[in-house]
Amino acid sequence: MTEVLFYHLQDMTVENVLPPLLEKSIERGWRVVVQSTSEERAEALDAHLWTYREDSFLPHATWRVTDAEDQPILLAVEDGNPNRANIRFLVDNALLPADSELYDRVVLLFNGDDAEALAAARRCWSDCKARGFDVTYWQADERGRWQRRD
């Protein structure tokens, strides 16, 4: 069954939260797709992942490469799973893909300070529950550590 994790970002950015989650995914041997809503945003994330930390390397590429199927992390703007990913990250209000049940895990990062993003996350939560997915909600505590909330 697909597990869907909702990460409620408050006073945090995708740029700060996404890289450590990607690192954990790669450590687990998972292949990843990160879907955003525009080419410009995907390109900005691409540039950020090359430089976010000097002592880390996240092997990744954008959907434009000819060897997308070989990439451990693929940044995309559309549905599809060219690298046979186990986990799909949705950022910037990207919609839940129609084939979500084919993933082990889908992670939705949403801006809790944005009313539109919050409403979209709530709709997605309802959709995921209706589809029978195992859904969990995560929020950072005062120390910035992720805590599962009910």
Side-chain angles (χ1 to χ4, degrees):
M1 176 185 352
T2 300
E3 182 181 19
V4 184
L5 288 71
F6 289 77
Y7 278 80
H8 186 151
L9 309 185
Q10 286 186 290
D11 301 321
M12 306 170 124
T13 64
V14 168
E15 288 80 5
N16 291 337
V17 173
L18 184 61
L21 294 173
L22 294 176
E23 287 174 339
K24 287 180 182 178
S25 297
I26 294 298
E27 286 171 8
R28 291 178 174 150
W30 292 344
R31 298 176 73 77
V32 179
V33 170
V34 178
Q35 182 179 344
S36 64
T37 54
S38 73
E39 291 182 11
E40 295 80 17
R41 181 66 165 132
E43 290 167 357
L45 287 173
D46 177 40
H48 177 69
L49 292 178
W50 290 119
T51 61
Y52 82 96
R53 210 172 76 205
E54 279 190 36
D55 64 340
S56 180
F57 172 71
L58 282 170
H60 72 280
T62 68
W63 73 99
R64 291 188 170 120
V65 297
T66 57
D67 64 343
E69 66 278 357
D70 296 328
Q71 301 301 321
I73 300 172
L74 191 67
L75 304 175
V77 293
E78 298 178 354
D79 284 358
N81 191 358
N83 67 338
R84 301 167 319 282
N86 310 80
I87 183 170
R88 185 175 202 96
F89 286 85
L90 304 172
V91 299
D92 305 325
N93 300 337
L95 298 175
L96 192 69
D99 65 352
S100 295
E101 69 279 351
L102 300 179
Y103 294 91
D104 295 326
R105 183 177 284 180
V106 175
V107 179
L108 182 89
L109 303 176
F110 67 96
N111 182 349
D113 298 320
D114 177 337
E116 184 179 322
L118 196 54
R122 286 181 176 143
R123 286 190 301 274
C124 186
W125 176 278
S126 296
D127 181 33
C128 289
K129 292 289 277 184
R131 291 171 70 178
F133 296 149
D134 180 19
V135 296
T136 56
Y137 172 78
W138 298 84
Q139 193 170 24
D141 64 17
E142 60 279 349
R143 294 180 310 220
R145 295 175 47 177
W146 291 105
Q147 301 294 318
R148 184 176 175 166
R149 306 282 188 210
D150 294 324

